[in-house]
Amino acid sequence: MGTGEIKSPEGLSETPSALGGNFDSVRGKKLEVHFMESDKQRMAFGHGYTGGTTPVNIQGKPLSDEDLSKTGGWIAAFFIFGNEMAERMAYYGLSVNMVTFMFYVMHRSFSSSANAVNNFLGISQASSVLGGFLADAYLGRYKTIAIFTTIYLVGLIGITVSAFLDVFMPNQEHCDSLARLLGGCEPAKPWQMRYLYTVLYLTGFGAAGIRPCVSSFGADQFDERSKDYKRHLDRFFNFFYLSVTIGAIVAFSLVVYLQREKGWGYAFGSLAIAMGVSNLLFFAGTPLYRHRLPGGSPLTRVAQVLVAAFRKRNVSFTSSEMIGLYEVPGKHSAVKGSGKIAHTEHFRWLDKAALQLKEDGSNPSPWRLCTVTQVEEVKILIKLIPIPACTIMLSVFLTEYLTLSIQQAYTLNTRMGHLKLPVTCMPIFPGLSIFLVLSVYYSVFVPLSRRITGHPHGASQLQRVGIGLVVSIISVAWAGAFEKYRRDYAIKHGYEFSFLTPMPGLSAYWLLIQYCLIGIAEVFGTVGLLEFLYEEAPDAMKAIGSAYAALAGGLGCFAASALNSIVKSVTGSQGRRESWLSQNINSGRFDYFYWLLAVLGVINFCIFLYSAHRYKYRT
């Protein structure tokens, strides 16, 4: 069987020193990349492959030029926006209203209600890894969204039923504010709580296939061969997050209004209706969508690289048995739905998985010899990890705001002139700040920052993530300062034990500063991260790349719950009457807790600076 010798995708042969180890004794010897011509070899590694990232229709067939002109683009993307808008509407609607529902209706404590909702938030994001895997491996992004958005709808219907039918709720008689404060209300029966937790977490699991796939599926609608591709992609992610914000604003306004005027059943029912309508719109846009072929199990490919590298761990790059680094011939990758990836020098120990030896023969096992592209996929997944990991702290801040700031708002005057806003409407203001920032982003921030950085988009993706982290630290630092003032005011005016009574002399709109700052942090941090992960992730692992962001968000929710438990345990011991996170916010020390978050945020930002400085963008 013949082999053709072609240089590396970068057009340069790799020297042994570029692959690690001490090769001073080797003079002039070059490590060339060899390509196997055998069809059997192609099938062994790729089971057949197509033209890289060529868009296909829903049947998996490449789109003709005529079909390309009729599909994709902004029209298709807007059908996808609707699904994300409804999902986030439900996500935020439940994150705020479910805490008060469990407290007022199910008679659970604020702390246990907040932890239950934090777990819901965590499940809805951390499970995104599963959705990303299924999309990239087998189903494709469209089918994954279709399946999990239906699961999401079933969960919302179940929550609506629990709020409409009295049988799912404890007795509400003789349960006034004083009885609720003293724990005198009839608690929910165990089976009632099990049912509520089941449908709540089912809803969270439904987000597993939506969160990682919607942003990447929307980005798939744009032609990467277009000269305006980068500009379209940048604007897409900003508009995408704008749809997220609109969903949040509706959740914090209309849904709260329905809860107050019509009841819990109507509030949760509106979320189910919104999800149902968005599902219909998503399916209605099916003829317009462009698809990408799933590349087979990414976990299998990752495992093959690790196993092959381990099996050849003792083989030297200077071995006389070495032929070169293995890759299939031509310009297309052996990984279905992916273009070739140029060889890079980092994580050089993984290159041994692609090290072709004479003993490998003409038809080696993929568990012994992998392609350069397959090895580079694993390298990319590894080097991406530190960046989303550093955004976990941003998610911790957001999670704490959604629960703790509500307790702050209950003690404050929420009147704006003759208008009195419900406490649960307060988180609408981060959404409004996001809406405002995104509205002026291209007209104000980009031109100003472009003059400073010289970057065509004003700031690179990692710079935007860094800006978001800095602003989030300022936000929690301010929250601590205001909370100290609020607590001192409450004690001074005799409200120390009346933590559910609003103080008419202190406006809740002081909370707007921390809300707006965290909204700005989201615009830069989250949008920058989503765009960064989509562009940097391997072609056949875009959904998993997006799942990194969701996973970071989920871990942030779990970390918030764990941090709350640790702080309550540590600060509530040693004879103290109340912990920092006491249910009575006026006798607790939320200010200390916010400042603790600020310190953790500074440490996290230092780690981010180090990781971002070392990171090299893909070419």
Coordinates of all heavy atoms in Angstrom, one line a residue, residues 413-472:
N413 N -38.7 49.8 51.2 CA -39.8 50.5 50.6 C -39.7 50.4 49.0 O -38.8 50.9 48.5 CB -39.9 51.9 51.0 CG -41.1 52.6 50.4 OD1 -42.0 52.0 49.8 ND2 -41.1 54.0 50.6
T414 N -40.6 49.7 48.4 CA -40.5 49.5 47.0 C -41.5 50.4 46.2 O -41.8 50.2 45.0 CB -40.9 48.0 46.6 OG1 -42.2 47.7 47.0 CG2 -39.9 47.0 47.2
R415 N -41.9 51.5 46.8 CA -42.8 52.4 46.1 C -41.9 53.3 45.2 O -40.9 53.8 45.6 CB -43.5 53.3 47.1 CG -44.7 52.5 47.8 CD -45.6 53.4 48.6 NE -46.7 52.7 49.1 CZ -47.8 52.4 48.4 NH1 -48.0 52.8 47.2 NH2 -48.8 51.8 49.0
M416 N -42.5 53.6 44.0 CA -41.9 54.6 43.1 C -43.1 55.5 42.8 O -43.9 55.3 41.9 CB -41.4 53.9 41.8 CG -40.8 54.8 40.8 SD -40.3 54.0 39.3 CE -38.9 53.0 39.9
G417 N -43.1 56.6 43.6 CA -44.2 57.5 43.5 C -45.5 56.9 44.0 O -45.5 56.4 45.2
H418 N -46.5 56.8 43.2 CA -47.8 56.2 43.6 C -47.8 54.7 43.3 O -48.7 53.9 43.6 CB -49.0 56.8 42.9 CG -49.2 58.3 43.3 ND1 -49.6 58.6 44.6 CD2 -49.0 59.4 42.7 CE1 -49.7 59.9 44.7 NE2 -49.3 60.4 43.5
L419 N -46.7 54.2 42.6 CA -46.6 52.8 42.1 C -45.8 52.0 43.2 O -44.7 52.4 43.5 CB -46.0 52.8 40.8 CG -45.7 51.3 40.2 CD1 -47.0 50.6 40.0 CD2 -44.9 51.4 38.9
K420 N -46.3 50.9 43.6 CA -45.6 50.0 44.5 C -45.3 48.7 43.8 O -46.2 48.0 43.4 CB -46.5 49.7 45.8 CG -45.7 48.9 46.8 CD -46.6 48.6 48.0 CE -45.8 48.0 49.2 NZ -45.1 46.8 48.8
L421 N -44.0 48.5 43.6 CA -43.6 47.3 42.9 C -43.5 46.1 43.8 O -43.0 46.3 44.9 CB -42.2 47.5 42.2 CG -42.1 48.5 41.0 CD1 -40.7 48.6 40.5 CD2 -43.0 48.0 39.9
P422 N -43.9 44.9 43.4 CA -43.7 43.7 44.2 C -42.3 43.5 44.4 O -41.4 43.8 43.5 CB -44.4 42.6 43.4 CG -45.3 43.3 42.4 CD -44.6 44.7 42.1
V423 N -41.9 42.9 45.5 CA -40.5 42.6 45.8 C -39.9 41.7 44.7 O -38.8 41.9 44.3 CB -40.4 41.9 47.2 CG1 -39.0 41.3 47.4 CG2 -40.7 42.9 48.3
T424 N -40.7 40.7 44.2 CA -40.1 39.8 43.2 C -39.9 40.4 41.9 O -39.4 39.8 41.0 CB -41.1 38.6 43.1 OG1 -42.4 39.0 43.0 CG2 -40.9 37.7 44.3
C425 N -40.4 41.7 41.7 CA -40.1 42.4 40.5 C -38.7 43.1 40.5 O -38.3 43.5 39.4 CB -41.2 43.5 40.3 SG -42.6 42.9 39.4
M426 N -38.1 43.2 41.6 CA -36.8 43.9 41.7 C -35.7 43.4 40.8 O -35.0 44.1 40.2 CB -36.3 43.9 43.1 CG -37.2 44.6 44.1 SD -37.5 46.4 43.7 CE -35.8 47.0 43.8
P427 N -35.6 42.0 40.6 CA -34.6 41.6 39.7 C -34.8 41.9 38.2 O -34.0 41.6 37.3 CB -34.6 40.0 39.8 CG -35.2 39.8 41.2 CD -36.2 40.9 41.3
I428 N -35.9 42.7 37.9 CA -36.1 43.1 36.5 C -35.0 44.1 36.1 O -34.7 44.3 35.0 CB -37.5 43.7 36.3 CG1 -37.8 43.9 34.9 CG2 -37.6 45.1 37.0 CD1 -39.2 44.4 34.6
F429 N -34.5 44.8 37.1 CA -33.5 45.9 36.8 C -32.2 45.4 36.3 O -31.7 46.1 35.4 CB -33.4 46.8 38.1 CG -34.6 47.5 38.4 CD1 -35.4 47.1 39.5 CD2 -35.0 48.7 37.7 CE1 -36.6 47.8 39.8 CE2 -36.2 49.3 38.0 CZ -37.0 48.9 39.0
P430 N -31.6 44.3 36.7 CA -30.5 43.8 35.9 C -30.8 43.6 34.5 O -30.0 43.9 33.6 CB -30.1 42.5 36.7 CG -30.7 42.7 38.0 CD -31.9 43.5 37.9
G431 N -32.0 43.0 34.2 CA -32.4 42.8 32.8 C -32.5 44.1 32.0 O -32.1 44.2 30.9
L432 N -33.1 45.1 32.7 CA -33.2 46.4 32.0 C -31.8 47.0 31.7 O -31.5 47.7 30.7 CB -34.0 47.4 32.8 CG -35.5 47.0 33.0 CD1 -36.2 48.0 33.9 CD2 -36.2 47.1 31.6
S433 N -30.9 46.8 32.7 CA -29.5 47.4 32.5 C -28.8 46.6 31.4 O -28.1 47.2 30.6 CB -28.7 47.3 33.8 OG -28.4 45.9 34.1
I434 N -29.0 45.3 31.3 CA -28.5 44.5 30.2 C -29.0 45.0 28.8 O -28.3 45.2 27.8 CB -28.8 43.0 30.3 CG1 -28.0 42.5 31.5 CG2 -28.4 42.2 29.1 CD1 -28.4 41.1 31.9
F435 N -30.3 45.3 28.8 CA -31.0 45.8 27.6 C -30.4 47.1 27.2 O -30.1 47.3 26.0 CB -32.5 45.9 27.8 CG -33.3 46.2 26.6 CD1 -33.8 45.1 25.9 CD2 -33.5 47.5 26.2 CE1 -34.6 45.4 24.7 CE2 -34.3 47.7 25.1 CZ -34.8 46.7 24.3
L436 N -30.2 48.0 28.1 CA -29.6 49.3 27.8 C -28.2 49.2 27.3 O -27.8 49.8 26.3 CB -29.7 50.2 29.1 CG -29.1 51.6 29.0 CD1 -29.8 52.4 27.9 CD2 -29.1 52.3 30.3
V437 N -27.4 48.4 28.0 CA -26.0 48.2 27.6 C -25.9 47.6 26.2 O -25.1 48.1 25.4 CB -25.2 47.3 28.6 CG1 -23.8 47.0 28.1 CG2 -25.1 48.0 30.0
L438 N -26.7 46.6 25.9 CA -26.6 46.0 24.6 C -27.1 47.0 23.5 O -26.6 46.9 22.4 CB -27.5 44.7 24.6 CG -26.9 43.5 25.3 CD1 -27.9 42.4 25.3 CD2 -25.6 43.1 24.7
S439 N -28.0 47.9 23.9 CA -28.5 48.9 22.9 C -27.5 49.9 22.5 O -27.5 50.3 21.4 CB -29.7 49.6 23.6 OG -30.8 48.7 23.9
V440 N -26.6 50.2 23.5 CA -25.5 51.2 23.1 C -24.2 50.6 22.9 O -23.2 51.3 22.7 CB -25.4 52.3 24.3 CG1 -26.8 53.0 24.4 CG2 -25.0 51.7 25.6
Y441 N -24.1 49.3 23.0 CA -22.8 48.6 22.9 C -22.1 48.9 21.6 O -20.9 49.3 21.7 CB -23.1 47.0 23.0 CG -21.8 46.2 23.0 CD1 -21.1 46.0 24.1 CD2 -21.3 45.7 21.8 CE1 -20.0 45.2 24.1 CE2 -20.2 44.9 21.8 CZ -19.5 44.7 23.0 OH -18.3 43.9 23.0
Y442 N -22.7 48.8 20.5 CA -22.0 49.1 19.2 C -21.8 50.6 18.9 O -20.9 50.9 18.2 CB -22.8 48.4 18.1 CG -22.7 46.9 18.1 CD1 -23.8 46.1 18.6 CD2 -21.5 46.2 17.8 CE1 -23.7 44.8 18.6 CE2 -21.5 44.8 17.9 CZ -22.6 44.1 18.3 OH -22.5 42.8 18.4
S443 N -22.7 51.4 19.5 CA -22.6 52.8 19.2 C -21.7 53.6 20.2 O -21.2 54.6 19.8 CB -24.0 53.5 19.2 OG -24.6 53.3 20.5
V444 N -21.4 53.0 21.4 CA -20.6 53.7 22.4 C -19.4 52.9 22.7 O -18.3 53.3 22.6 CB -21.5 53.9 23.6 CG1 -20.6 54.6 24.7 CG2 -22.7 54.8 23.3
F445 N -19.6 51.6 23.3 CA -18.4 50.9 23.8 C -17.4 50.5 22.7 O -16.2 50.7 22.9 CB -18.9 49.6 24.5 CG -17.8 48.7 24.9 CD1 -17.0 49.0 26.0 CD2 -17.5 47.6 24.2 CE1 -16.0 48.2 26.4 CE2 -16.5 46.7 24.6 CZ -15.7 47.1 25.7
V446 N -17.9 49.9 21.6 CA -17.0 49.4 20.6 C -16.2 50.5 20.0 O -14.9 50.4 19.9 CB -17.8 48.7 19.5 CG1 -16.9 48.4 18.3 CG2 -18.4 47.4 20.0
P447 N -16.7 51.7 19.6 CA -15.9 52.8 19.0 C -14.8 53.3 20.0 O -13.7 53.5 19.7 CB -16.9 53.9 18.6 CG -18.2 53.2 18.4 CD -18.2 52.1 19.4
L448 N -15.3 53.5 21.3 CA -14.3 54.0 22.3 C -13.2 53.0 22.6 O -12.0 53.3 22.6 CB -15.1 54.3 23.6 CG -16.0 55.5 23.5 CD1 -16.8 55.7 24.9 CD2 -15.2 56.8 23.2
S449 N -13.6 51.7 22.8 CA -12.6 50.7 23.2 C -11.7 50.4 22.0 O -10.5 50.0 22.1 CB -13.2 49.5 23.7 OG -14.1 48.9 22.7
R450 N -12.2 50.5 20.7 CA -11.4 50.3 19.6 C -10.2 51.2 19.5 O -9.1 50.9 19.1 CB -12.3 50.4 18.3 CG -11.5 50.0 17.0 CD -12.4 50.2 15.8 NE -13.5 49.4 15.8 CZ -14.8 49.8 15.5 NH1 -15.0 51.1 15.3 NH2 -15.8 48.9 15.5
R451 N -10.4 52.5 19.9 CA -9.3 53.5 19.9 C -8.2 53.1 20.9 O -7.1 53.4 20.7 CB -9.9 54.8 20.3 CG -10.9 55.4 19.2 CD -11.4 56.7 19.7 NE -12.4 57.3 18.8 CZ -13.1 58.4 19.0 NH1 -12.9 59.1 20.1 NH2 -14.0 58.8 18.1
I452 N -8.6 52.4 22.0 CA -7.7 52.0 23.0 C -6.9 50.7 22.6 O -5.7 50.7 22.7 CB -8.4 51.9 24.4 CG1 -9.0 53.2 24.7 CG2 -7.4 51.5 25.4 CD1 -9.9 53.2 26.0
T453 N -7.7 49.7 22.2 CA -7.2 48.4 22.0 C -6.8 48.1 20.6 O -5.9 47.3 20.4 CB -8.2 47.3 22.5 OG1 -9.3 47.4 21.6 CG2 -8.6 47.5 23.9
G454 N -7.4 48.8 19.6 CA -7.1 48.6 18.2 C -7.8 47.3 17.7 O -7.7 46.9 16.6
H455 N -8.6 46.7 18.6 CA -9.3 45.5 18.2 C -10.5 45.9 17.4 O -11.3 46.8 17.8 CB -9.7 44.7 19.5 CG -10.2 43.3 19.2 ND1 -11.5 43.0 18.7 CD2 -9.5 42.1 19.3 CE1 -11.6 41.7 18.6 NE2 -10.4 41.1 18.9
P456 N -10.8 45.2 16.3 CA -12.0 45.5 15.4 C -13.3 45.5 16.1 O -14.2 46.2 15.8 CB -11.9 44.5 14.3 CG -11.1 43.4 14.8 CD -10.1 44.0 15.7
H457 N -13.4 44.6 17.2 CA -14.7 44.6 17.9 C -14.6 45.3 19.2 O -15.5 45.1 20.1 CB -15.1 43.1 18.2 CG -15.2 42.3 16.9 ND1 -16.2 42.6 15.9 CD2 -14.6 41.2 16.4 CE1 -16.1 41.8 14.9 NE2 -15.2 40.9 15.2
G458 N -13.6 46.1 19.4 CA -13.5 46.9 20.6 C -12.6 46.2 21.7 O -11.8 46.8 22.3
A459 N -12.9 44.9 21.9 CA -12.2 44.1 22.9 C -12.2 42.7 22.4 O -13.2 42.3 21.9 CB -12.7 44.3 24.3
S460 N -11.2 41.9 22.7 CA -11.2 40.5 22.4 C -12.2 39.8 23.3 O -12.7 40.4 24.3 CB -9.8 39.9 22.6 OG -9.5 39.9 24.0
Q461 N -12.5 38.6 23.0 CA -13.5 37.8 23.8 C -13.0 37.7 25.3 O -13.8 37.8 26.2 CB -13.7 36.4 23.2 CG -14.3 36.5 21.8 CD -13.9 35.4 20.9 OE1 -13.0 34.6 21.2 NE2 -14.5 35.4 19.7
L462 N -11.7 37.4 25.5 CA -11.2 37.2 26.8 C -11.1 38.5 27.6 O -11.3 38.6 28.8 CB -9.8 36.5 26.8 CG -9.8 35.1 26.3 CD1 -8.3 34.6 26.3 CD2 -10.6 34.2 27.2
Q463 N -10.9 39.6 26.9 CA -10.9 40.9 27.5 C -12.3 41.2 28.0 O -12.5 41.8 29.1 CB -10.4 42.0 26.5 CG -8.9 42.0 26.3 CD -8.5 42.9 25.2 OE1 -9.3 43.3 24.3 NE2 -7.2 43.3 25.2
R464 N -13.3 40.9 27.2 CA -14.7 41.1 27.6 C -15.0 40.3 28.9 O -15.7 40.8 29.8 CB -15.6 40.9 26.5 CG -15.7 42.0 25.5 CD -16.7 41.7 24.4 NE -16.1 40.9 23.4 CZ -16.8 40.2 22.5 NH1 -18.1 40.2 22.5 NH2 -16.2 39.5 21.5
V465 N -14.6 39.0 28.9 CA -14.8 38.2 30.1 C -14.2 38.8 31.3 O -14.8 38.9 32.4 CB -14.3 36.8 29.8 CG1 -14.4 36.0 31.1 CG2 -15.1 36.1 28.7
G466 N -12.9 39.3 31.1 CA -12.3 40.0 32.2 C -13.0 41.2 32.7 O -13.1 41.4 34.0
I467 N -13.5 42.0 31.8 CA -14.3 43.2 32.2 C -15.5 42.8 33.0 O -15.8 43.4 34.1 CB -14.7 44.0 31.0 CG1 -13.5 44.6 30.3 CG2 -15.7 45.1 31.4 CD1 -13.8 45.3 29.0
G468 N -16.2 41.7 32.6 CA -17.3 41.2 33.3 C -17.0 40.8 34.7 O -17.7 41.1 35.7
L469 N -15.8 40.1 34.9 CA -15.4 39.7 36.2 C -15.1 40.9 37.1 O -15.5 40.9 38.3 CB -14.2 38.8 36.1 CG -14.4 37.4 35.4 CD1 -13.1 36.6 35.4 CD2 -15.5 36.6 36.1
V470 N -14.5 41.9 36.6 CA -14.1 43.1 37.4 C -15.4 43.8 37.9 O -15.5 44.1 39.1 CB -13.2 44.0 36.6 CG1 -13.1 45.3 37.4 CG2 -11.8 43.4 36.4
V471 N -16.3 44.0 37.0 CA -17.6 44.7 37.3 C -18.4 43.9 38.3 O -19.0 44.4 39.2 CB -18.4 45.0 36.0 CG1 -19.7 45.6 36.4 CG2 -17.6 45.9 35.1
S472 N -18.3 42.5 38.2 CA -19.1 41.7 39.2 C -18.5 41.9 40.6 O -19.2 41.8 41.6 CB -19.1 40.2 38.7 OG -17.8 39.7 38.9

